Amino acid sequence: MFRLFPTRFALFKAFIGLFLILSVIVRLSFLIWNFSEVDKNIIQLSLTFLIGSLFDIATISFFTIPYLVYLVFFPVRFYGAIVDKAITYFGIFLGILILYFSFFGEITFWDEFQRRYNFIAVDYLIYTYEVIKNINESYPLPILISLMLILVCTSIFIIYRMGYFRDSFESKTSFKVKLIAALPWVFIVTISSLFVNNKQADFSDNRYNNELAKAGIYSFFAAFRNNELAYKEFYKTVAEKEAFGTVKAEFSNKGDTFINPSKNEIFRNIKNSDSLKFEQRPNIIFICIESLSGKYLNTLGSELNITPTLDSLANQSIFFTNLFATGTRTVRGMEAITLSIPPTPGRSIVKRKNNAGLFTIGEVFKEKGYDRNFFYGGDGYFDNMNTYFGGNGFNIIDRGRGFLLDKSIYTTRTNIEDREVSFENAWGVCDEDIYRKVIKEADNAHATGKPFFDFVMTTSNHKPYTYPEGKIDIPSGSGRNGAIKYTDYAIGEFLKTARTKPWFTNTVFVIMSDHCASSAGRWELDVQNYHIPALIYNLPNTTPHKISKLSSQIDMFPTLFGLLGWDYTSNLFGLDILKMNPEDERAFIGNYRKLGLLKEDKVMILGDQKTANFYQWKSEDNSLKSVIIDNDFLHNTISWYQVSDYLYMNNGLKANN
């Protein structure tokens, strides 16, 4: 009688069993980990584990195909020979090692992102230096590796004692029987390849249930294949003329005049000066704070008392209390800030091809005669930052560790030297060190008499949350609260030094986060986890005040340009927040698959299966309640995202156009 696992397949069966056991342990662990967030309805939980089991079977069928081929075609007469034993022991050891590596990797990834592997994990394969060093600094790596090896050896020993090796080596299973036994697995692989995709695990309105239903290894390879999403193929669309008409009407209503009104583009002239408002050209230092959620500031409702500097600045600046990030990663924040564009599906433009020579905020500064500089405490090779900023006219100041810029990029690169570093971790030098470098370069720039725009990317508020000891009352490496307090402290020390400089009175400081500390939640898009602090400090002839208008990261620099009285040519999507009417207030939020538009307490979310869901957002508990689709709202949402994608795909973001 036909058997799915003949004796020659004994180790094949053992390996599959171990994989399924580990998969269940991972799924149960994540369920317990986020038990308060998961939909615990018995039907939902049953579907979670049922779908998860199907994905597990699909995963293991792909994963074991090489070994299955070996089992089927290895000649019977050589069963148990030295070559058979060598290949088998090595293959089983390597396979089990990969299983446990994935097991521990999923736990650390979930700890950081509350998701199964996605395109972020794929990106991390490229930036091994920072990632491995970060893991080493964040976790007891020698203990984890030792534990992993112990588990691998223990598993092999148990499999050996259960007789699976003996059964395989002493088997007399014929080629015909092996071939028949292999056919169901080939069938599963074929069906999985043709008809199964990772999105099918998204069966629930609860994001955690969807993530639990997925399989980590399967999700990794799905992300490897699909880290860019063609908007027209995956999302709802409208006629291009209608989409551009909707977006351009927003700008026309503000008095902008289009250079080519009949074309599918948004190049336009913006006028901010008048008889009472003249252009100012101060130096601009923009500080992009790593992973700082609004909820950590006392000014925005916290009781942690870990941001005294920023809370003080909130009362001395133009402070934006209702501003939202566009995404969940640093490169997404950089995209929003520099290109002033709604989030694009898939990868950030910072990491895509064809991202040089774009119309960024740097082009506006260039038009006004500014030097443009990008400061980063690590090596800007990470996340393609140097290529992006260098390819768009910025000088680079980073911790260059040997990664060279592409030969097609013409820019000046200045290293942060060893003698300038007092503390450094996986992601780069501490914030105090990067600010000292900013001060030094500002002194040099001031001597030339030419205004400068500095984009400063901080790193200290990032796992492993380490920083110089003795600076604050929370020990280094003890958690995010300490990193936030040190980040805040470093800003205070930077401004204290800056105030002693002759260029301070003519320098405006803009401070804003790149994204929140953790943007994952139970909903499609967890709205509150996009709320970030933002302020403009030391702007001459301006009374400090708080702005409560709902706005987006993409609006910060158009607002600054308005405050400076600049008339300029623009290809930016952002609006001047101070000129917004109530009906103009909105925020764009998204992740690599979901694209959302928030207005008042309503949010429309576009999905990559041409779906659209409309919700009422309750800020008190950060919940979303499904409501009937508002077609005008839907059309507006589609238009903004479709136009953004169209311009990128058709070179409409290029400065030379």
Side-chain angles (χ1 to χ4, degrees), residues 105-118:
E106 278 212 79
I107 290 174
T108 57
F109 194 81
W110 188 276
D111 178 45
E112 184 75 14
F113 300 104
Q114 288 80 54
R115 295 178 184 275
R116 295 284 193 167
Y117 290 136
N118 58 21

Side-chain angles (χ1 to χ4, degrees), residues 285-290 292 297 306-311 313 430-435 439 456 458 460-461 472 483-499 504 509-513 533 535 537:
I285 296 178
F286 171 63
I287 300 174
C288 190
I289 304 178
E290 170 68 41
L292 183 64
L297 275 67
I306 55 177
T307 56
T309 300
L310 291 173
D311 289 326
L313 289 175
C430 66
D431 286 359
E432 287 177 279
D433 288 342
I434 193 68
Y435 290 141
I439 292 285
V456 185
T458 72
S460 289
N461 186 29
I472 60 171
I484 292 172
K485 192 164 187 176
Y486 172 74
T487 295
D488 182 84
Y489 164 84
I491 292 172
E493 293 300 300
F494 168 61
L495 291 176
K496 187 184 298 182
T497 302
R499 291 185 186 105
F504 175 78
F509 300 84
V510 182
I511 302 176
M512 182 168 63
S513 177
L535 61 87
Y537 170 69

Side-chain angles (χ1 to χ4, degrees), residues 252-319:
S252 296
N253 292 338
K254 301 295 174 295
D256 300 353
T257 55
F258 290 95
I259 296 173
N260 297 299
S262 61
K263 291 187 177 182
N264 284 348
E265 60 182 42
I266 62 168
F267 270 112
R268 62 200 189 278
N269 291 317
I270 296 177
K271 185 173 178 60
N272 287 307
S273 65
D274 55 36
S275 58
L276 299 176
K277 191 174 188 179
F278 301 96
E279 276 199 358
Q280 305 175 65
R281 296 193 184 181
N283 307 308
I284 308 293
I285 296 178
F286 171 63
I287 300 174
C288 190
I289 304 178
E290 170 68 41
S291 306
L292 183 64
S293 308
K295 65 182 180 182
Y296 291 112
L297 275 67
N298 282 27
T299 310
L300 296 176
S302 173
E303 297 180 354
L304 295 172
N305 298 316
I306 55 177
T307 56
T309 300
L310 291 173
D311 289 326
S312 174
L313 289 175
N315 296 317
Q316 304 172 48
S317 65
I318 301 175
F319 187 78

Side-chain angles (χ1 to χ4, degrees), residues 17 150 371 618:
I150 290 171
D371 280 336
K618 189 176 179 182

Side-chain angles (χ1 to χ4, degrees), residues 316-367:
Q316 304 172 48
S317 65
I318 301 175
F319 187 78
F320 301 88
T321 65
N322 202 20
L323 187 142
F324 288 74
T326 65
T328 61
R329 294 199 67 205
T330 296
V331 286
R332 185 65 74 190
M334 289 177 170
E335 173 190 83
I337 294 161
T338 57
L339 287 170
S340 185
I341 191 172
T344 52
R347 279 183 165 188
S348 162
I349 292 173
V350 174
K351 293 179 65 62
R352 292 199 203 179
K353 298 177 181 179
N354 195 29
N355 67 0
L358 304 180
F359 192 102
T360 68
I361 57 173
E363 290 300 307
V364 181
F365 282 107
K366 178 183 177 182
E367 180 186 330

Side-chain angles (χ1 to χ4, degrees), residues 120-192:
I120 298 174
V122 175
D123 283 351
Y124 278 4
L125 283 179
I126 301 171
Y127 308 108
T128 53
Y129 176 85
E130 289 85 355
V131 173
I132 292 174
K133 192 174 181 185
N134 177 46
I135 292 173
N136 187 42
E137 292 174 352
S138 302
Y139 302 97
L141 206 54
I143 295 175
L144 288 178
I145 293 174
S146 299
L147 179 60
M148 185 165 58
L149 291 175
I150 290 171
L151 287 171
V152 171
C153 293
T154 300
S155 298
I156 292 175
F157 177 74
I158 292 172
I159 291 171
Y160 176 84
R161 289 300 300 268
M162 293 178 71
Y164 287 108
F165 284 98
R166 182 191 66 246
D167 290 346
S168 179
F169 296 144
E170 296 179 359
S171 169
K172 300 300 179 183
T173 307
S174 66
F175 173 78
K176 180 180 178 181
V177 172
K178 291 187 297 181
L179 184 62
I180 294 173
L183 289 178
W185 299 101
V186 174
F187 176 76
I188 293 172
V189 169
T190 303
I191 294 299
S192 300

